[in-house]
Amino acid sequence: MVCATTRTVSLSGVTGHVVDVQADVVQGLVSTTMVGRPDASVSEARDRCRAAITNSSYEWPTTKRVTILLSPADLPKRGSHFDLAIAVAVLTANAKPEIEQAALEGLVMVGELTLDGRLRAVPGVLPMVLAARTQGYRRVMVPEAHAAEAAMVPGMDVLGVRSLAQAVCVLMGKEVPEAAPVEPLADPRVLTWRGDRRAEELDLRDVHGMEDARFALEVAAAGGHHLLLSGPKGSGKTTLAERIPGLLPDLTVEERLELSAVHSLAGDLTAVAGAAARPPFRAPHHSASKASVLGGGSGRVHPGEISRALHGVLFLDEFPLFAIDIIDALRQPLEQAEVTIARGDEVATFPARTMVVLACNPCPCGDYHPDVRESRCSCSEVRRRGYRDRVSGPVTDRLDIVRHITPVRPHRLRDPLSRPESSSAVRARVTAARARQADRFAGSPWRVNADIPGPDLESRWPLTEDGRGLLDAALCEGRLTRRGAVRVHRVAWTLADLRGLERPGDEEVDLALALRLGEPLPVRSWAVSR
């Protein structure tokens, strides 16, 4: 056979495109040419594949002209996972050994080759397999270490191999030779403890008092809303935020796949990581870089913490201390639920359907109490204003709920009659509210109220006349922007879901306005969902 075709996947963020790898072996000037916009790691595959084929006791066409096309040619190709598809295409075109083209139909190959023909694990296998299934392919060949990961995608026939020799024998229907196991990207024992596991061990029953803040957490969890907690140091902001994952329902099968795809792309998915059913919790330090929080990095573009917290919680404590470029860059994920990173001719988009929880002090020292006459704060008003300005404007306009936390009085902490609700009790109400949202959004790309675009919200799920009047009044008074009105509308629907109502009324809109503007809530509203 003169020309042969295999297939692999090229990734751009978590979006994949199936690539045809065509090898043409003919008489002519001896050379090996690769075309189709390969990057350095793909171009180097020529040398890796030549050595792997030779050391696997097969024959590289050393007396012929070899042309390798990666099609579509205008799509940038990055990564070392093209090796297996390139090597098999060259062997098939050279007919030594004789691999039938029919055995390659409907098969997608992923894997990096070593010089002795063994396969190495590569990042991003899960999103590649998802892309292959989306484009109609049902068979995939991957390094053995990724077989369980690839098998997470329903309807896929997964072939796990350890070497090029094993791959060839599988395609030819011959007895598969022994080979050394493929080492995973990371030792599973290293990743057995994660920060989100600690969050799962924390319970809301340990939080005494702060009923309005507890209620705000419940509403935020029920609708997937972004939340800002402000207050002096030691008032309980971190205590509350760390307990939000315990209020969220288990991830659905589709959500697990999406989250696992992001971790696979980041290279930190082990064979058992995809089985986690609980939402993630990520809390980067305020000294973290923009690339680590939002995504990027040198070389391959990696997803950031906001994408690794997909369908979970990203907690940014001491938010004003984050770099100003991170604060400004948060506008896109807060508004569009995705992060797009453009660098040269590379554009990568990562999902960011994540609850973002911000926490900040009222001043740099954290001792300022606006309601206390003799405050211990040593900051000047200019410093306090500059500190607050870092979390105002466009960023706060994209938040759904704002709560100002005050320290709990000592007698409330020791109240023997206090019986705070547990996380499991609140989670049951949150799960019921999300089930109502799932029924309402069936057949649409949205899952929770926080996902709905403003125009669809107005046309398909409008407010009552009285509720609309409350929003219009707040707009006219300058208390809300148009974007803020949309977010109040969403929170009102979440309150209706928690109450089991068919539609939010003026009471839900009034309460949503108070949650949005950080105003005190009436005591009766704390039990609005009970």
Side-chain angles (χ1 to χ4, degrees):
M1 182 177 292
V2 175
C3 184
T5 302
T6 58
R7 292 165 184 85
T8 188
V9 178
S10 177
L11 282 180
S12 177
V14 293
T15 304
H17 305 275
V18 173
V19 172
D20 289 342
V21 180
Q22 294 182 315
D24 181 64
V25 179
V26 295
Q27 295 293 338
L29 183 65
V30 177
S31 64
T32 300
T33 306
M34 185 176 295
V35 294
R37 296 191 69 182
D39 73 345
S41 61
V42 179
S43 296
E44 292 167 354
R46 291 174 296 187
D47 300 318
R48 289 195 299 270
C49 292
R50 181 188 293 112
I53 288 175
T54 302
N55 292 325
S56 298
S57 301
Y58 300 122
E59 182 178 330
W60 178 271
T62 55
T63 61
K64 298 179 181 179
R65 185 180 67 192
V66 179
T67 304
I68 302 169
L69 169 65
L70 308 178
S71 178
D74 61 340
L75 181 72
K77 319 297 187 308
R78 298 177 178 87
S80 58
H81 63 274
F82 287 77
D83 290 4
L84 182 59
I86 291 172
V88 172
V90 171
L91 287 174
T92 305
N94 195 37
K96 296 180 181 179
E98 295 185 359
I99 303 174
E100 296 293 334
Q101 182 66 47
L104 303 175
E105 294 301 324
L107 176 65
V108 173
M109 298 180 174
V110 174
E112 176 187 339
L113 287 171
T114 62
L115 298 185
D116 58 358
R118 292 180 295 111
L119 278 174
R120 290 180 57 86
V122 293
V125 168
L126 186 54
M128 293 181 201
V129 177
L130 285 169
R133 186 190 64 171
T134 300
Q135 298 180 48
Y137 294 86
R138 291 295 178 267
R139 290 199 306 152
V140 61
M141 180 177 287
V142 299
E144 186 185 54
H146 292 295
E149 177 185 342
M152 293 172 61
V153 182
M156 295 299 292
D157 181 13
V158 180
L159 303 174
V161 292
R162 298 180 176 182
S163 66
L164 176 61
Q166 285 194 351
V168 170
C169 290
V170 169
L171 294 172
M172 297 181 67
K174 294 184 177 181
E175 183 179 354
V176 178
E178 288 294 326
V182 179
E183 295 183 2
L185 290 174
D187 188 340
R189 294 170 295 180
V190 176
L191 299 177
T192 53
W193 177 263
R194 289 176 175 270
D196 51 0
R197 181 167 297 181
R198 176 177 177 268
E200 283 300 315
E201 296 174 350
L202 303 175
D203 199 288
L204 203 59
R205 67 158 54 94
D206 302 325
V207 180
H208 294 265
M210 297 191 286
E211 287 83 357
D212 59 341
R214 291 168 57 99
F215 172 65
L217 260 62
E218 180 176 343
V219 177
H225 302 292
H226 303 310
L227 175 66
L228 170 64
L229 300 173
S230 68
K233 64 184 182 183
S235 57
K237 303 183 295 295
T238 302
T239 298
L240 290 167
E242 288 181 334
R243 283 158 174 78
I244 295 179
L247 310 183
L248 300 177
D250 289 342
L251 298 178
T252 64
V253 174
E254 185 177 355
E255 288 171 343
R256 293 186 208 181
L257 275 177
E258 292 175 357
L259 177 62
S260 297
V262 172
H263 283 279
S264 174
L265 194 62
D268 62 358
L269 179 73
T270 66
V272 296
R278 297 297 301 144
F281 178 81
R282 313 288 292 197
H285 191 259
H286 59 75
S287 62
S289 66
K290 181 180 176 181
S292 66
V293 175
L294 297 165
S298 58
R300 175 190 287 268
V301 177
H302 291 278
E305 291 292 299
I306 193 168
S307 297
R308 298 188 191 197
L310 186 65
H311 304 306
V313 179
L314 175 69
F315 177 45
L316 302 180
D317 198 6
E318 302 290 350
F319 182 64
L321 299 182
F322 279 81
I324 192 65
D325 59 340
I326 297 178
I327 296 175
D328 290 338
L330 275 174
R331 299 179 189 181
Q332 183 194 17
L334 288 175
E335 184 73 22
Q336 301 176 4
E338 63 180 21
V339 178
T340 300
I341 300 171
R343 191 172 61 189
D345 62 347
E346 182 178 5
V347 178
T349 300
F350 301 108
R353 285 189 173 184
T354 304
M355 274 186 63
V356 178
V357 180
L358 311 179
C360 64
N361 296 326
C363 68
C365 74
D367 285 326
Y368 181 65
H369 293 249
D371 300 327
V372 177
R373 182 171 300 177
E374 295 183 2
S375 174
R376 293 180 299 172
C377 175
S378 59
C379 304
S380 65
E381 182 58 33
V382 174
R383 287 192 67 199
R384 286 198 290 265
R385 187 181 301 114
Y387 184 83
R388 291 193 298 265
D389 286 345
R390 292 174 67 92
V391 291
S392 62
V395 173
T396 53
D397 198 34
R398 288 164 169 80
L399 300 175
D400 303 310
I401 298 174
V402 176
R403 286 291 91 194
H404 302 295
I405 312 298
T406 56
V408 181
R409 303 282 184 178
H411 71 276
R412 294 290 305 276
L413 293 175
R414 296 187 293 270
D415 185 0
L417 300 179
S418 177
R419 296 290 186 272
E421 276 193 305
S422 65
S423 293
S424 58
V426 178
R427 186 196 302 174
R429 294 194 296 270
V430 170
T431 302
R434 289 210 173 188
R436 295 186 184 97
Q437 295 168 52
D439 292 339
R440 185 162 63 245
F441 304 141
S444 73
W446 313 307
R447 299 174 185 174
V448 292
N449 290 326
D451 297 338
I452 319 171
D456 292 277
L457 194 64
E458 290 286 347
S459 61
R460 300 175 63 178
W461 298 286
L463 296 172
T464 62
E465 289 297 326
D466 291 342
R468 185 72 254 176
L470 288 173
L471 275 189
D472 291 341
L475 282 168
C476 291
E477 295 168 1
R479 300 163 67 205
L480 278 182
T481 63
R482 286 289 178 184
R483 180 184 288 111
V486 171
R487 296 186 177 276
V488 171
H489 193 158
R490 293 170 178 163
V491 174
W493 267 103
T494 300
L495 290 167
D497 291 328
L498 283 169
R499 284 179 160 180
L501 302 176
E502 292 296 324
R503 185 182 182 188
D506 56 340
E507 185 176 349
E508 285 73 38
V509 175
D510 190 37
L511 187 53
L513 267 170
L515 286 169
R516 159 75 183 186
L517 299 175
E519 297 174 349
L521 305 178
V523 174
R524 59 186 173 83
S525 70
W526 297 343
V528 69
S529 60
R530 310 293 194 269

